[in-house]
Structure formats: C-alpha cells, structure tokens
C-alpha cells in the first residue's frame, strides 16, 4: 500500500529573505529621515530611530526564526512517522500504525494526540480548530483502513 503524507506549516505571508529586504528598506528610510532632523539640530531623533530599528529588528528576527516551523506526518505500511520541526530543531517519532490511537481535540485550542502504549505526540499546531478536526478524521480513517487491509487469516 502506498504511503500518505501530511505537511502542516505556518501561514507565513513573507519569507525570511523578503523580510530582510523589507527591514533594510525600513532602516534606510528611517535613517534618512533621522539624518535630516539631526542636520537641522534635533540629534535626539537619531537615537530614537536607532532604538526603533533595534526593536523592529528584534521582532523580525523572532518572526523569521519560526517562519520554517512545520509538522510532517507520514503513514507507511509499517510506520507512522511524525516529525516536529521548530526553530531548526527536529524531533522524530516512529509509531506503530496498528496500535496508534488518534484523539480528537476536545477543546478549541487543544491539539490532536497520536498515542501508542509508550508514546504520545501532539500535532496540529498550525491548523485552525476546524482543520484539526478534519485532520483527526483523516488520520483515523487512514489508520483504520491500514488495520483492516493488514489483517490476514
């Protein structure tokens, strides 16, 4: 039977490379305006501009660190592989698809639990409540079909 894969990622409207270009343009504009004011005698404006650029740069940096976060779920005949990638830290979990139980989110902000005897993994961080419930149904259906077709006399 063929494998099935789900890739869940953040909905980022701008890539880290584009973010750098926006930040450079913002800094250039802010420095230009601050320099004009500084040349006219208001030197303190330059200090505020630098403080502003540092604050915006910090916010952009934190955003860019998480822009590539994702979850990958792959269901093969013998393994349910779950990869959680956050800030370039990769955690992998290999679950037995025949004994994995899918627990739907019980509250609005709860995640989907994939549970076996010795392991519990939560997925769906980047999905809306409705999409989490839909993914839980898909996973449950796929796992059930693998259990039925994998049964032999």
């Amino acid at each position: 039977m063929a494998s099935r894969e789900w890739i869940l990622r953040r909905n980022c409207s701008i890539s880290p490379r584009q973010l750098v270009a926006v930040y450079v343009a913002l800094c250039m504009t802010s420095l230009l305006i601050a320099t004009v004011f500084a040349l006219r005698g208001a030197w303190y404006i330059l200090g505020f501009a630098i403080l502003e650029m540092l604050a915006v740069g910090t916010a952009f940096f934190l955003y860019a660190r998480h822009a590539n976060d994702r979850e990958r779920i792959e269901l093969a005949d013998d393994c349910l592989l779950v990869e959680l990638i956050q800030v370039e830290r990769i955690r992998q979990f290999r679950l037995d698809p025949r004994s994995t139980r899918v627990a739907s989110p019980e509250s609005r902000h709860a995640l989907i639990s994939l549970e076996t005897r010795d392991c519990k993994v939560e997925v769906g961080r980047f999905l809306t409540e409705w999409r989490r419930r839909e993914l839980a149904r898909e996973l449950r259906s796929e796992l059930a079909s693998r259990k039925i077709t994998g049964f032999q006399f």
Side-chain angles (χ1 to χ4, degrees), residues 9-152:
R9 57 181 65 231
R10 289 184 178 278
N11 185 12
C12 294
S13 59
I14 189 168
S15 72
R17 182 173 289 146
Q18 292 170 326
L19 194 61
V20 169
V22 167
Y23 181 65
V24 168
L26 184 65
C27 286
M28 297 296 284
T29 305
S30 189
L31 275 177
L32 178 67
I33 293 169
T35 302
V36 168
F37 275 94
L39 291 174
R40 298 205 176 246
W43 288 98
Y44 58 92
I45 298 293
L46 192 58
F48 282 113
I50 291 171
L51 188 64
E52 170 202 21
M53 288 182 286
L54 287 173
V56 171
T58 301
F60 279 8
F61 175 74
L62 293 174
Y63 171 86
R65 283 185 67 201
H66 291 281
N68 292 322
D69 289 0
R70 63 188 175 279
E71 299 171 345
R72 182 176 160 267
I73 305 168
E74 183 179 0
L75 177 60
D77 291 333
D78 61 338
C79 177
L80 176 64
L81 176 67
V82 180
E83 285 183 344
L84 305 176
I85 302 164
Q86 292 178 307
V87 190
E88 302 305 321
R89 181 174 164 235
I90 301 172
R91 293 182 293 160
Q92 285 189 342
F93 301 90
R94 294 184 185 279
L95 308 172
D96 180 9
R98 291 172 292 283
S99 64
T100 300
R101 185 176 87 80
V102 179
S104 293
E106 294 180 11
S107 68
R108 182 176 180 181
H109 299 289
L111 300 176
I112 300 166
S113 292
L114 303 174
E115 303 172 7
T116 60
R117 283 179 237 96
D118 57 343
C119 185
K120 177 181 177 182
V121 182
E122 291 185 326
V123 296
R125 285 164 186 76
F126 310 120
L127 300 177
T128 62
E129 174 188 6
W130 178 79
R131 290 286 297 145
R132 275 195 297 272
R133 293 185 191 282
E134 184 179 312
L135 176 64
R137 278 193 299 272
E138 282 182 36
L139 284 169
R140 202 174 293 113
S141 173
E142 286 288 330
L143 287 171
S145 71
R146 304 282 170 134
K147 290 175 187 175
I148 292 170
T149 58
F151 183 74
Q152 297 176 358

